[in-house]
Amino acid sequence: MKYLSIIVVSLALTARCAIAHSLPPAPVANKIMQSSEIHGDKRQDDYGWMRDDSRQNETVLNYLRQENDYTQKLAAQWQPLQTQVYQEMQAHQVQDNYAQPVRKHDYFYRVEYPARANFPQIQRKANNDTVWTTVIDTATRSAGKDYYALGRYAVSEDNRYIALAEDETGDGQYNIALFDTRRGEWLNLNIQQASDDIVFSNDGKQLYYVRLHPQTLTPYQVMRYELATKKKELLWQENDGRFFTGIARSASDRFLLITLSANDTSEVRYLSLDDAHRPLQLVRPRATGKEYYVDNANGYFYIRSNHENKNFALYRVKVDEDWQRVLAPDNERELEGFTLFDRAVVVSQRYEGKTHYRKLSFTHNLWQELSFPDPTYMARTGNNSDGQATAFTYIYSSLDTPLGYYQWDLDSGATTLVHQKAVPGLVAGTYTSKLIHVTARDGETIPVSIIWRKDRFHQGQNPLLVYGYGAYGMSLDAAFSAPRMSLLDRGFVFALAHVRGGGEKGVTWYQAGKKEHKQNSFNDFIDATRGLIKQGYGAADRVYGMGGSAGGLLLAGAVNQAPELFRAVVLQVPFVDVLNTMLDKSLPLTQQEYSEWGNPNLAKDYVAIKAWSPYDNIHPQPYPTMLVTTGLNDSRVPFWEAAKYVARVRAANTTKKSVQLLNVNMNSGHGGRSGRYSRLEDSAQAFSFLIFVDSQKNK
């Protein structure tokens, strides 16, 4: 997840500029020895005192403020550059105000950003109208708050009520508010510490939501709220801390689907949305290592499952019958997901490193495939919540093609471009993108998507920014980014390294970069970067790295193992203190993450994690210039991970030619600051950091 905080940089300055001697010294963190032992192995953590679950310990807060002050003082030297880059990004910002509409019976709804607005509006119009009316303006809802983010929203079947989830702290805990469109007023609704999953019953009298665990913040209780009586009823509680609980409305609108999912195991229950008195029903009991996901239409439950093959297959079933194959498992193609309609099902498959769509018409019982023109691209399913729709909505982009909204007719198979996002200042043909393959040290082939500006490219001379993630089977698909133009226009070559641990080449690719195989992710990133240099896509002394969350882990691990590769790196909300975090199941996400990283309470997993955990493998050597960002209210990757990491790297760094900066946003969480322009400022700060450091190469 990307998070760019107040990036303050003059990093390379400290040793490379004539004014270095006038800069203030970096904060020096106190060392307070904390020892621990497990499996006969003793470890020492001098910075463990930075952990503060309350976010109120003045000793810790004062230290964080010192880090921010230091960063801000250095930032003053390159503030004009940051302002310039931000203005460029604003100029490229899409102002066509297109938002994909979603039908709910007699109305269409959309989330719209007015021109230059930081927060969106929820608007609607009747089916036959042309004028959109603002129903809810979140600019008003966010007024006076240090942080505000709109999560999902749900509309009752009669279009009277709109329920929306609002995060006012940045820690992922939502409050649910309820607006009565008929009366034009907010109801007195006291629902807090919830996820942003919201579903109305079909008569609009009940609201279903998911409560978060008070300690770990894991969604674990399915609740039913009676609008008339304000009564709250517990319907399901998941007691296994490894599982997340999510709810959704089925495509048929008949059922509430309750999905309980761990990293590699899942289970689904369903409940009638027409009759609140009917009991919960189980689709199939959970089995470790087996996943299945469910939707309902035309009297059938459609199920994506890997019980026969790790690449999943599609089945359908009526209650208490054997599952029937709809799409057989394929050893070469992973079934990533499916979208169900009354008249067809559309499946998303991953092969050759890219997403492909196929649809099955229930009328003709024929499969049809959708093809895309670019060698590397991003294709993503749009909002298809209307099961009666006649077209499948998807979003398409490539590294040099802005986002387009398309509809694929479920009957004729015709494709229509509904809207192409406008990017002011973009001239077609300015940039070149391609997909290359780099051979890793073990012979595996690593896909790398790259883009550069044609008239600024000089073989072997350009600055090169390599971005990576490589976890959870998530794919870094190649999509256009308007803010990235500020880098490309200054000669940067931008690369996405599709390393093992991601999902770009299917389940096998993912499994080859997790748990005991995690070292493959670091090897791939290092080898891909070296391969890009060797092929002339960047100068060896102008190489930069960037990654966020688990991508920050990837970058930090690569820096430990090959620090000489990078002139500077940006680590955004990085997950770097892996061993300590995975040993503490009281922290959010820890138990769910065992199947991704391993459970260090087991001796074998402990040894494997300790071998690569970024924080545990910091050692005396020359480290590159760094910008590390975090948010005080981050519940996914707590702020102290970044703070401890920077302190330990500074203490271990053996060169005066680099500086490590920490920036803590005191009012945000894992997703960064709220509001689209605040996030744009964060992007400007991050890219300005890289541009500035690169500009110091000859000083």
Side-chain angles (χ1 to χ4, degrees):
M1 302 213 136
K2 289 188 178 180
Y3 170 65
L4 313 176
S5 182
I6 293 182
I7 295 192
V8 229
V9 156
S10 132
L11 280 154
L13 266 151
T14 302
R16 301 181 191 192
C17 294
I19 60 172
H21 66 276
S22 65
L23 294 178
V28 178
N30 290 332
K31 292 186 177 182
I32 302 175
M33 187 177 69
Q34 294 182 1
S35 298
S36 62
E37 181 176 349
I38 185 172
H39 309 306
D41 183 50
K42 295 181 179 180
R43 291 184 302 127
Q44 180 175 317
D45 187 354
D46 292 335
Y47 305 108
W49 62 268
M50 294 184 186
R51 174 171 175 173
D52 174 26
D53 295 81
S54 71
R55 274 76 173 173
Q56 296 177 1
N57 185 304
E58 279 302 315
T59 300
V60 175
L61 293 176
N62 283 335
Y63 173 75
L64 300 180
R65 294 184 190 112
Q66 290 177 41
E67 289 284 3
N68 283 346
D69 288 345
Y70 173 65
T71 302
Q72 289 167 2
K73 288 175 181 176
L74 297 184
Q77 300 173 77
W78 60 281
Q79 185 63 45
L81 173 63
Q82 178 183 318
T83 300
Q84 179 184 350
V85 171
Y86 176 68
Q87 290 172 346
E88 293 170 4
M89 291 181 175
Q90 270 196 319
H92 295 313
Q93 183 75 7
V94 174
Q95 294 296 330
D96 60 10
N97 294 325
Y98 177 78
Q100 182 191 344
V102 178
R103 188 173 72 89
K104 173 64 77 169
H105 302 300
D106 297 331
Y107 286 89
F108 282 96
Y109 291 81
R110 70 181 184 183
V111 176
E112 167 82 358
Y113 280 93
R116 300 297 177 184
N118 213 12
F119 297 95
Q121 298 173 346
I122 298 176
Q123 300 180 344
R124 75 175 183 180
K125 70 179 184 69
N127 287 347
N128 298 322
D129 287 349
T130 58
V131 178
W132 290 89
T133 301
T134 298
V135 184
I136 297 171
D137 188 350
T138 63
T140 301
R141 302 287 294 172
S142 65
K145 298 180 174 67
D146 291 328
Y147 183 93
Y148 178 88
L150 175 66
R152 294 188 182 98
Y153 73 94
V155 180
S156 62
E157 295 301 288
D158 62 359
N159 289 279
R160 176 174 178 176
Y161 298 110
I162 301 178
L164 61 157
E166 301 173 299
D167 183 353
E168 298 179 2
T169 61
D171 64 358
Q173 298 185 69
Y174 289 90
N175 301 327
I176 297 176
L178 188 62
F179 186 72
D180 186 337
T181 63
R182 187 178 301 170
R183 296 182 178 179
E185 63 183 21
W186 293 94
L187 301 186
N188 183 17
L189 184 68
N190 183 28
I191 297 178
Q192 300 176 324
Q193 204 174 41
S195 75
D196 64 343
D197 287 354
I198 315 168
V199 176
F200 280 99
S201 62
N202 285 339
D203 61 9
K205 294 181 179 180
Q206 292 95 28
L207 184 69
Y208 297 91
Y209 65 97
V210 183
R211 180 184 289 163
L212 306 182
H213 191 280
Q215 181 178 20
T216 65
L217 303 184
T218 302
Y220 81 122
Q221 290 181 331
V222 179
M223 306 294 297
R224 176 162 54 203
Y225 177 84
E226 296 282 347
L227 272 63
T229 64
K230 299 183 179 180
K231 177 185 176 183
K232 298 175 183 176
E233 179 185 1
L234 175 63
L235 299 179
W236 174 261
Q237 177 169 313
E238 177 54 52
N239 294 317
D240 189 332
R242 297 173 300 167
F243 285 78
F244 286 87
T245 301
I247 61 173
R249 171 181 287 272
S250 69
S252 65
D253 291 323
R254 291 180 56 195
F255 300 109
L256 176 77
L257 301 171
I258 302 174
T259 303
L260 311 165
S261 56
N263 187 273
D264 62 355
T265 305
S266 65
E267 180 179 79
V268 179
R269 286 173 167 76
Y270 60 94
L271 180 72
S272 172
L273 288 173
D274 294 307
D275 186 351
H277 299 291
R278 292 185 183 177
L280 276 173
Q281 300 291 322
L282 175 65
V283 175
R284 176 174 286 187
R286 69 188 66 174
T288 300
K290 303 299 180 183
E291 299 176 67
Y292 72 93
Y293 304 93
V294 178
D295 203 349
N296 177 270
N298 293 321
Y300 286 94
F301 287 102
Y302 285 77
I303 304 167
R304 181 176 74 98
S305 173
N306 66 352
H307 71 280
E308 288 188 312
N309 187 291
K310 65 182 180 181
N311 281 339
F312 291 84
L314 186 65
Y315 308 83
R316 74 175 187 178
V317 65
K318 291 188 176 181
V319 179
D320 297 329
E321 295 179 350
D322 293 333
W323 293 6
Q324 305 169 3
R325 283 184 180 177
V326 176
L327 182 64
D330 189 320
N331 290 329
E332 303 299 324
R333 302 182 177 191
E334 178 192 0
L335 177 60
E336 289 189 314
F338 69 99
T339 304
L340 195 57
F341 301 91
D342 288 347
R343 62 184 67 216
V345 60
V346 178
V347 300
S348 169
Q349 293 179 294
R350 170 77 58 172
Y351 57 94
E352 297 175 349
K354 297 179 284 290
T355 296
H356 302 257
Y357 288 119
R358 298 176 68 192
K359 70 177 180 68
L360 173 66
S361 167
F362 295 149
T363 302
H364 305 293
N365 198 33
L366 294 174
W367 286 98
Q368 183 181 31
E369 186 157 349
L370 182 63
S371 59
F372 298 113
D374 296 292
T376 180
Y377 58 82
M378 181 274 289
R380 188 169 297 162
T381 301
N383 191 316
N384 293 281
S385 58
D386 181 7
Q388 299 177 6
T390 60
F392 168 73
T393 299
Y394 67 94
I395 303 167
Y396 179 85
S397 175
S398 68
L399 283 174
D400 53 6
T401 305
L403 207 68
Y405 292 84
Y406 294 80
Q407 287 190 337
W408 190 20
D409 191 279
L410 295 174
D411 294 323
S412 69
T415 298
T416 303
L417 173 62
V418 177
H419 184 82
Q420 184 80 56
K421 283 287 188 181
V423 180
L426 175 64
V427 178
T430 300
Y431 307 106
T432 294
S433 67
K434 66 188 298 186
L435 177 68
I436 68 169
H437 294 85
V438 177
T439 302
R441 65 193 69 182
D442 62 356
E444 187 59 81
T445 301
I446 311 162
V448 183
S449 301
I450 49 179
I451 182 172
W452 64 89
R453 179 166 164 163
K454 292 179 181 178
D455 61 353
R456 300 292 169 86
F457 182 74
H458 304 283
Q459 185 83 7
Q461 299 179 38
N462 291 70
L464 169 66
L465 173 58
V466 187
Y467 189 95
Y469 190 75
Y472 305 109
M474 295 177 62
S475 300
L476 276 182
D477 289 328
F480 182 83
S481 168
R484 192 185 297 144
M485 292 168 65
S486 290
L487 283 178
L488 302 177
D489 291 347
R490 287 173 172 82
F492 273 75
V493 174
F494 179 83
L496 291 170
H498 306 293
V499 305
R500 278 172 280 190
E504 289 86 349
K505 294 173 72 173
V507 176
T508 300
W509 192 251
Y510 163 47
Q511 292 176 342
K514 65 183 292 192
K515 296 182 75 171
E516 68 271 20
H517 305 298
K518 187 60 190 172
Q519 182 58 43
N520 285 332
S521 300
F522 307 119
N523 291 348
D524 287 356
F525 192 83
I526 292 167
D527 294 347
T529 302
R530 287 174 174 159
L532 287 165
I533 298 169
K534 184 176 181 180
Q535 294 185 38
Y537 291 106
D541 61 347
R542 303 177 73 184
V543 177
Y544 305 92
M546 180 182 287
S549 195
L553 181 157
L554 175 69
L555 262 293
V559 166
N560 276 340
Q561 297 174 31
E564 75 287 349
L565 262 183
F566 306 98
R567 182 178 182 83
V569 295
V570 177
L571 308 181
Q572 305 152 322
V573 291
F575 179 36
V576 285
D577 192 12
V578 182
L579 201 52
N580 282 322
T581 294
M582 297 306 297
L583 283 167
D584 186 353
K585 67 178 183 180
S586 71
L587 290 170
L589 304 186
T590 291
Q591 294 181 76
Q592 293 88 4
E593 303 287 87
Y594 286 157
S595 55
E596 178 70 24
W597 314 109
N599 180 356
N601 294 292
L602 306 175
K604 180 181 178 182
D605 287 0
Y606 176 89
V607 171
I609 295 172
K610 188 181 179 184
W612 54 258
S613 174
Y615 184 67
D616 295 280
N617 284 277
I618 296 169
H619 57 277
Q621 63 178 347
Y623 277 87
T625 287
M626 293 183 180
L627 173 68
V628 183
T629 69
T630 187
L632 183 66
N633 296 322
D634 193 341
S635 61
R636 298 185 183 181
V637 182
F639 72 87
W640 56 81
E641 294 210 15
K644 290 169 57 179
Y645 174 80
V646 169
R648 183 173 274 189
V649 169
R650 276 202 196 123
N653 189 22
T654 60
T655 179
K656 295 181 179 180
K657 295 181 179 180
S658 67
V659 179
Q660 292 72 42
L661 294 184
L662 172 67
N663 178 240
V664 185
N665 191 308
M666 306 300 278
N667 296 304
S668 73
H670 199 66
R673 292 192 287 172
S674 60
R676 64 169 175 168
Y677 285 104
S678 298
R679 290 191 292 271
L680 200 64
E681 289 174 1
D682 290 342
S683 296
Q685 292 162 345
F687 289 166
S688 297
F689 161 65
L690 295 171
I691 296 165
F692 181 81
V693 173
D694 188 66
S695 72
Q696 304 300 305
K697 62 184 181 301
N698 295 321
K699 296 183 180 181

PDB file of all heavy atoms in Angstrom, residues 325-339:
ATOM      1  N   ARG A 325     -18.532 -28.692 -12.398  1.00  0.00           N
ATOM      2  CA  ARG A 325     -17.536 -27.824 -13.024  1.00  0.00           C
ATOM      3  C   ARG A 325     -18.179 -26.909 -14.062  1.00  0.00           C
ATOM      4  O   ARG A 325     -18.943 -27.352 -14.915  1.00  0.00           O
ATOM      5  CB  ARG A 325     -16.458 -28.648 -13.707  1.00  0.00           C
ATOM      6  CG  ARG A 325     -15.428 -29.256 -12.766  1.00  0.00           C
ATOM      7  CD  ARG A 325     -14.371 -29.970 -13.589  1.00  0.00           C
ATOM      8  NE  ARG A 325     -13.337 -30.583 -12.762  1.00  0.00           N
ATOM      9  CZ  ARG A 325     -12.342 -31.314 -13.243  1.00  0.00           C
ATOM     10  NH1 ARG A 325     -12.261 -31.521 -14.557  1.00  0.00           N
ATOM     11  NH2 ARG A 325     -11.446 -31.833 -12.441  1.00  0.00           N
ATOM     12  N   VAL A 326     -17.837 -25.646 -13.999  1.00  0.00           N
ATOM     13  CA  VAL A 326     -18.208 -24.674 -15.021  1.00  0.00           C
ATOM     14  C   VAL A 326     -16.981 -24.349 -15.868  1.00  0.00           C
ATOM     15  O   VAL A 326     -17.058 -24.246 -17.079  1.00  0.00           O
ATOM     16  CB  VAL A 326     -18.778 -23.389 -14.382  1.00  0.00           C
ATOM     17  CG1 VAL A 326     -19.079 -22.338 -15.451  1.00  0.00           C
ATOM     18  CG2 VAL A 326     -20.022 -23.705 -13.559  1.00  0.00           C
ATOM     19  N   LEU A 327     -15.841 -24.195 -15.201  1.00  0.00           N
ATOM     20  CA  LEU A 327     -14.561 -23.995 -15.875  1.00  0.00           C
ATOM     21  C   LEU A 327     -13.541 -24.879 -15.179  1.00  0.00           C
ATOM     22  O   LEU A 327     -13.252 -24.706 -13.998  1.00  0.00           O
ATOM     23  CB  LEU A 327     -14.132 -22.526 -15.806  1.00  0.00           C
ATOM     24  CG  LEU A 327     -12.820 -22.170 -16.511  1.00  0.00           C
ATOM     25  CD1 LEU A 327     -12.943 -22.397 -18.011  1.00  0.00           C
ATOM     26  CD2 LEU A 327     -12.440 -20.721 -16.228  1.00  0.00           C
ATOM     27  N   ALA A 328     -13.005 -25.842 -15.913  1.00  0.00           N
ATOM     28  CA  ALA A 328     -12.093 -26.825 -15.333  1.00  0.00           C
ATOM     29  C   ALA A 328     -10.775 -26.169 -14.929  1.00  0.00           C
ATOM     30  O   ALA A 328     -10.372 -25.143 -15.489  1.00  0.00           O
ATOM     31  CB  ALA A 328     -11.828 -27.942 -16.346  1.00  0.00           C
ATOM     32  N   PRO A 329     -10.067 -26.745 -13.956  1.00  0.00           N
ATOM     33  CA  PRO A 329      -8.758 -26.205 -13.570  1.00  0.00           C
ATOM     34  C   PRO A 329      -7.758 -26.311 -14.714  1.00  0.00           C
ATOM     35  O   PRO A 329      -7.833 -27.222 -15.539  1.00  0.00           O
ATOM     36  CB  PRO A 329      -8.355 -27.078 -12.379  1.00  0.00           C
ATOM     37  CG  PRO A 329      -9.168 -28.321 -12.490  1.00  0.00           C
ATOM     38  CD  PRO A 329     -10.446 -27.928 -13.144  1.00  0.00           C
ATOM     39  N   ASP A 330      -6.834 -25.362 -14.743  1.00  0.00           N
ATOM     40  CA  ASP A 330      -5.833 -25.284 -15.812  1.00  0.00           C
ATOM     41  C   ASP A 330      -4.466 -25.120 -15.159  1.00  0.00           C
ATOM     42  O   ASP A 330      -4.256 -24.207 -14.366  1.00  0.00           O
ATOM     43  CB  ASP A 330      -6.159 -24.085 -16.713  1.00  0.00           C
ATOM     44  CG  ASP A 330      -5.307 -24.039 -17.973  1.00  0.00           C
ATOM     45  OD1 ASP A 330      -4.094 -24.336 -17.885  1.00  0.00           O
ATOM     46  OD2 ASP A 330      -5.836 -23.690 -19.036  1.00  0.00           O
ATOM     47  N   ASN A 331      -3.552 -25.987 -15.497  1.00  0.00           N
ATOM     48  CA  ASN A 331      -2.224 -25.936 -14.882  1.00  0.00           C
ATOM     49  C   ASN A 331      -1.424 -24.707 -15.298  1.00  0.00           C
ATOM     50  O   ASN A 331      -0.432 -24.354 -14.647  1.00  0.00           O
ATOM     51  CB  ASN A 331      -1.429 -27.199 -15.234  1.00  0.00           C
ATOM     52  CG  ASN A 331      -1.973 -28.431 -14.535  1.00  0.00           C
ATOM     53  OD1 ASN A 331      -2.509 -28.352 -13.439  1.00  0.00           O
ATOM     54  ND2 ASN A 331      -1.835 -29.581 -15.189  1.00  0.00           N
ATOM     55  N   GLU A 332      -1.812 -24.045 -16.372  1.00  0.00           N
ATOM     56  CA  GLU A 332      -1.076 -22.888 -16.878  1.00  0.00           C
ATOM     57  C   GLU A 332      -1.779 -21.570 -16.590  1.00  0.00           C
ATOM     58  O   GLU A 332      -1.166 -20.507 -16.706  1.00  0.00           O
ATOM     59  CB  GLU A 332      -0.862 -23.019 -18.397  1.00  0.00           C
ATOM     60  CG  GLU A 332      -0.140 -24.291 -18.816  1.00  0.00           C
ATOM     61  CD  GLU A 332       1.248 -24.393 -18.222  1.00  0.00           C
ATOM     62  OE1 GLU A 332       1.912 -23.341 -18.090  1.00  0.00           O
ATOM     63  OE2 GLU A 332       1.667 -25.523 -17.878  1.00  0.00           O
ATOM     64  N   ARG A 333      -3.049 -21.613 -16.229  1.00  0.00           N
ATOM     65  CA  ARG A 333      -3.823 -20.388 -16.063  1.00  0.00           C
ATOM     66  C   ARG A 333      -4.482 -20.362 -14.682  1.00  0.00           C
ATOM     67  O   ARG A 333      -5.240 -21.263 -14.333  1.00  0.00           O
ATOM     68  CB  ARG A 333      -4.903 -20.274 -17.144  1.00  0.00           C
ATOM     69  CG  ARG A 333      -4.363 -20.292 -18.555  1.00  0.00           C
ATOM     70  CD  ARG A 333      -5.472 -20.127 -19.581  1.00  0.00           C
ATOM     71  NE  ARG A 333      -4.957 -20.062 -20.939  1.00  0.00           N
ATOM     72  CZ  ARG A 333      -5.672 -19.709 -22.009  1.00  0.00           C
ATOM     73  NH1 ARG A 333      -6.958 -19.396 -21.847  1.00  0.00           N
ATOM     74  NH2 ARG A 333      -5.123 -19.665 -23.201  1.00  0.00           N
ATOM     75  N   GLU A 334      -4.185 -19.295 -13.943  1.00  0.00           N
ATOM     76  CA  GLU A 334      -4.810 -19.148 -12.634  1.00  0.00           C
ATOM     77  C   GLU A 334      -6.145 -18.424 -12.776  1.00  0.00           C
ATOM     78  O   GLU A 334      -6.244 -17.396 -13.449  1.00  0.00           O
ATOM     79  CB  GLU A 334      -3.917 -18.345 -11.692  1.00  0.00           C
ATOM     80  CG  GLU A 334      -4.551 -18.117 -10.318  1.00  0.00           C
ATOM     81  CD  GLU A 334      -3.816 -17.104  -9.475  1.00  0.00           C
ATOM     82  OE1 GLU A 334      -2.792 -16.566  -9.956  1.00  0.00           O
ATOM     83  OE2 GLU A 334      -4.277 -16.827  -8.353  1.00  0.00           O
ATOM     84  N   LEU A 335      -7.182 -18.962 -12.148  1.00  0.00           N
ATOM     85  CA  LEU A 335      -8.480 -18.296 -12.091  1.00  0.00           C
ATOM     86  C   LEU A 335      -8.458 -17.327 -10.912  1.00  0.00           C
ATOM     87  O   LEU A 335      -8.539 -17.727  -9.759  1.00  0.00           O
ATOM     88  CB  LEU A 335      -9.600 -19.323 -11.933  1.00  0.00           C
ATOM     89  CG  LEU A 335     -11.022 -18.763 -11.795  1.00  0.00           C
ATOM     90  CD1 LEU A 335     -11.405 -17.951 -13.027  1.00  0.00           C
ATOM     91  CD2 LEU A 335     -12.017 -19.889 -11.553  1.00  0.00           C
ATOM     92  N   GLU A 336      -8.317 -16.017 -11.205  1.00  0.00           N
ATOM     93  CA  GLU A 336      -8.168 -15.012 -10.156  1.00  0.00           C
ATOM     94  C   GLU A 336      -9.494 -14.594  -9.537  1.00  0.00           C
ATOM     95  O   GLU A 336      -9.547 -14.207  -8.366  1.00  0.00           O
ATOM     96  CB  GLU A 336      -7.478 -13.769 -10.710  1.00  0.00           C
ATOM     97  CG  GLU A 336      -6.009 -13.956 -11.013  1.00  0.00           C
ATOM     98  CD  GLU A 336      -5.334 -12.646 -11.347  1.00  0.00           C
ATOM     99  OE1 GLU A 336      -5.891 -11.870 -12.148  1.00  0.00           O
ATOM    100  OE2 GLU A 336      -4.232 -12.392 -10.815  1.00  0.00           O
ATOM    101  N   GLY A 337     -10.557 -14.614 -10.308  1.00  0.00           N
ATOM    102  CA  GLY A 337     -11.837 -14.171  -9.772  1.00  0.00           C
ATOM    103  C   GLY A 337     -12.932 -14.341 -10.803  1.00  0.00           C
ATOM    104  O   GLY A 337     -12.687 -14.732 -11.954  1.00  0.00           O
ATOM    105  N   PHE A 338     -14.168 -14.048 -10.392  1.00  0.00           N
ATOM    106  CA  PHE A 338     -15.283 -14.104 -11.330  1.00  0.00           C
ATOM    107  C   PHE A 338     -16.325 -13.075 -10.934  1.00  0.00           C
ATOM    108  O   PHE A 338     -16.429 -12.663  -9.777  1.00  0.00           O
ATOM    109  CB  PHE A 338     -15.899 -15.509 -11.390  1.00  0.00           C
ATOM    110  CG  PHE A 338     -16.643 -15.930 -10.152  1.00  0.00           C
ATOM    111  CD1 PHE A 338     -18.027 -15.832 -10.084  1.00  0.00           C
ATOM    112  CD2 PHE A 338     -15.966 -16.440  -9.051  1.00  0.00           C
ATOM    113  CE1 PHE A 338     -18.723 -16.224  -8.939  1.00  0.00           C
ATOM    114  CE2 PHE A 338     -16.646 -16.843  -7.908  1.00  0.00           C
ATOM    115  CZ  PHE A 338     -18.032 -16.735  -7.850  1.00  0.00           C
ATOM    116  N   THR A 339     -17.087 -12.628 -11.942  1.00  0.00           N
ATOM    117  CA  THR A 339     -18.169 -11.671 -11.743  1.00  0.00           C
ATOM    118  C   THR A 339     -19.436 -12.278 -12.311  1.00  0.00           C
ATOM    119  O   THR A 339     -19.478 -12.695 -13.478  1.00  0.00           O
ATOM    120  CB  THR A 339     -17.865 -10.337 -12.447  1.00  0.00           C
ATOM    121  OG1 THR A 339     -16.609  -9.833 -11.986  1.00  0.00           O
ATOM    122  CG2 THR A 339     -18.946  -9.314 -12.158  1.00  0.00           C
TER     123      THR A 339
END
